Amino acid sequence: MSRLFGTDGVRGRANADLTPDLALRLNIAAARVLGAADRRAVAVIGRDPRASGEMLAAASAAGLAAAGVKVIDLGILPTPAVAHLTALTGADFGVMVSASHNPMPDNGIKFFAAGGRKLPDEVEDAIEAAMGDPAPLPQGDGVGRIVRSVDPVESYIEHLVAAVPHPLNGLKVVLDPANGAATGAAPEALRRAGAEVVLINADPDGLNINENCGSTHMDGLRAAVVEHGAHAGIALDGDADRCLAVDADGNDVDGDAIMAILAIAMREAGQLRGDTLVTTVMSNLGLHQAMGTAGIKLEVTGVGDRYVLERLAEGGYSLGGEQSGHIIVSDHATTGDGTLTAILLLARMAATGRSLADLASVFTPAPQVLVNVRVTDKSVIDHDDVRSAVALWQSKLGTDGRVLLRPSGTEPLVRVMVEASEEPVAQTVAAELVAVVEHAMG
């Protein structure tokens, strides 16, 4: 039987894979694992604006209350805001109902431990095991209550503005919050920090989250930056835990480039503990080269911001993230925060007077091709033919390239990534590997 939790909580097609019944049972189990033994536990819960979030958040809150938990309903908020408010309120744990960058029909449920930190694998496994616990639920005054939080968005905005290292005055920014959870908080935080904000894709209706917008569809942002003569563009995803950027000419600045810019800025300010950046195996070889030139060490983890977070905590480091734009600045956040990342990136521009393109030029990416192959069984990556093909091509590429196949933790996909000294070579190798994966599926 496959594991219920993926790399970022429990996800699936809402009302098919992820039903209100599953949400109810999952949250009862979470309450039993994460709740306090000697008193009534307190949990905060938030959601992104997708339509199915209404029923799944209601079912989740009902499950928590049924298990005796006091539930503070935060309403629609970004994932990093839920993490922040888990810590700020002193809650025993937090719950976020969101499928992040996934399309609208999907949804998900993720949990934060006390202090707003993501759960380790063993705690998630304990929650999954507790779903079979037949213990009776509390009754009478043992049943939990559900209350609405008072203005949680303002608390989060104040937190973001307090982290601004340099005013953003003079910067014109196009912001695309993906019709998502940060539609209200992100532009207000940027404006209070001093930026002039042009807002696009900021009219969530429950159905249009991530739809041809945000960090997964950046064509509109590229065009808007050029049209408005902006200094930069910022793309968030549906729950605003990731950030990608666009320079003044409409060129993409991905998570690797953003990490390179922030790492150098933090090192100059004496804030990059251990002179170390933590990233994943998906980061481009060019990032390794750029950091080596800058005298910054790299720690590499498996794919998933949770593993970056674990390494940050273990090593006491202050900066880490993923090429996809999940970037964690541990002095200010316990998880990836797209709006915080945007603020720090723009502050670097304002403080130095340099353009985003100039700052990003420290990083020259090696040609990289990433192909998502839809599969019925993600274990196909362990097929003998697939393993042999990966080994063969890695041997042929040698130190001039890299091959990585991995299953998506959130979708029925195998991700085929190839880097090479020349893009046509990477394209050819990726096409060969995709063909092998598809043939292995029969």
Side-chain angles (χ1 to χ4, degrees):
M1 184 175 178
S2 61
R3 188 172 185 266
L4 183 61
F5 284 86
T7 55
D8 197 18
V10 178
R11 284 196 201 172
R13 185 61 60 100
N15 232 19
D17 309 309
L18 183 54
T19 63
D21 175 65
L22 176 58
L24 182 87
R25 292 186 292 112
L26 179 65
N27 278 272
I28 290 173
R32 287 173 167 166
V33 173
L34 300 173
D38 57 347
R39 56 178 173 78
R40 185 183 297 280
V42 177
V44 297
I45 182 168
R47 65 179 180 90
D48 71 26
R50 69 188 74 212
S52 61
E54 297 166 3
M55 69 175 184
L56 291 172
S60 297
L64 297 175
V69 175
K70 176 184 177 182
V71 183
I72 302 173
D73 183 358
L74 303 174
I76 295 175
L77 273 184
T79 290
V82 174
H84 170 68
L85 289 165
T86 300
L88 185 66
T89 61
D92 294 281
F93 61 100
V95 183
M96 179 66 185
V97 178
S98 173
S100 191
H101 62 284
N102 284 27
M104 183 278 297
D106 292 350
N107 216 322
I109 299 173
K110 57 185 116 180
F111 297 95
F112 293 101
R117 302 191 178 277
K118 289 196 172 183
L119 307 182
D121 289 345
E122 58 269 21
V123 176
E124 290 181 340
D125 290 340
I127 293 173
E128 188 168 346
M131 292 176 71
D133 186 349
L137 295 170
Q139 299 179 15
D141 63 1
V143 173
R145 304 294 294 273
I146 302 172
V147 299
R148 282 295 303 234
S149 176
V150 178
D151 209 0
V153 177
E154 179 61 26
S155 297
Y156 175 57
I157 292 171
E158 290 175 356
H159 158 69
L160 291 171
V161 175
V164 177
H166 190 283
L168 309 186
N169 298 339
L171 290 182
K172 185 177 185 179
V173 182
V174 179
L175 174 66
D176 181 354
N179 292 312
T183 297
E188 180 62 19
L190 290 175
R191 289 183 180 119
R192 291 193 198 177
E196 177 186 350
V197 179
V198 177
L199 201 53
I200 63 173
N201 300 313
D203 188 22
D205 62 10
L207 306 178
N208 59 1
I209 188 170
N210 298 320
E211 184 179 18
N212 298 319
C213 60
S215 62
T216 53
H217 301 88
M218 294 176 60
D219 286 347
L221 178 63
R222 297 181 190 108
V225 167
V226 174
E227 176 188 350
H228 291 279
H231 295 92
I234 298 295
L236 307 177
D237 63 337
D239 71 335
D241 62 355
R242 67 169 67 183
C243 168
L244 297 177
V246 170
D247 69 22
D249 295 321
N251 300 310
D252 290 354
V253 178
D254 71 4
D256 282 346
I258 294 171
M259 284 189 287
I261 293 168
L262 295 185
I264 291 171
M266 290 174 65
R267 186 170 187 264
E268 288 179 2
Q271 298 169 345
L272 189 69
R273 291 192 289 278
D275 287 341
T276 297
L277 169 66
V278 179
T279 188
T280 77
V281 294
M282 291 298 289
S283 278
N284 192 279
L285 288 173
L287 180 62
H288 293 250
Q289 295 163 353
M291 294 297 91
T293 300
I296 295 171
K297 298 184 286 291
L298 247 65
E299 290 268 346
V300 180
T301 76
V303 176
D305 64 330
R306 59 186 299 163
Y307 302 114
V308 174
L309 284 160
E310 288 175 4
R311 190 68 195 104
L312 287 170
E314 291 167 357
Y317 303 127
S318 50
L319 178 66
E322 297 184 284
Q323 185 186 62
S324 62
H326 283 113
I327 296 173
I328 304 106
V329 184
S330 59
D331 286 342
H332 301 294
T334 58
T335 189
D337 188 328
T339 308
L340 174 66
T341 298
I343 284 172
L344 297 177
L345 179 66
L346 295 168
R348 178 64 170 174
M349 293 173 61
T352 60
R354 297 169 62 187
S355 70
L356 182 53
D358 185 31
L359 290 170
S361 66
V362 68
F363 164 68
T364 303
Q368 184 184 83
V369 175
L370 178 63
V371 182
N372 292 322
V373 185
R374 190 159 292 275
V375 297
T376 54
D377 183 356
K378 289 185 276 191
S379 68
V380 69
I381 64 170
D382 295 319
H383 191 284
D384 287 345
D385 290 348
V386 175
R387 285 180 174 274
S388 296
V390 169
L392 173 64
W393 282 111
Q394 185 61 73
S395 175
K396 287 184 176 182
L397 290 171
T399 57
D400 291 331
R402 193 161 60 109
V403 173
L404 178 67
L405 266 67
R406 70 173 186 90
S408 167
T410 58
E411 299 175 87
L413 303 172
V414 165
R415 306 195 193 280
V416 177
M417 190 274 282
V418 180
E419 291 175 345
S421 56
E422 299 178 1
E423 185 165 353
V425 174
Q427 293 278 8
T428 298
V429 176
E432 292 279 351
L433 290 170
V434 168
V436 172
V437 171
E438 291 176 340
H439 184 267
M441 286 191 297

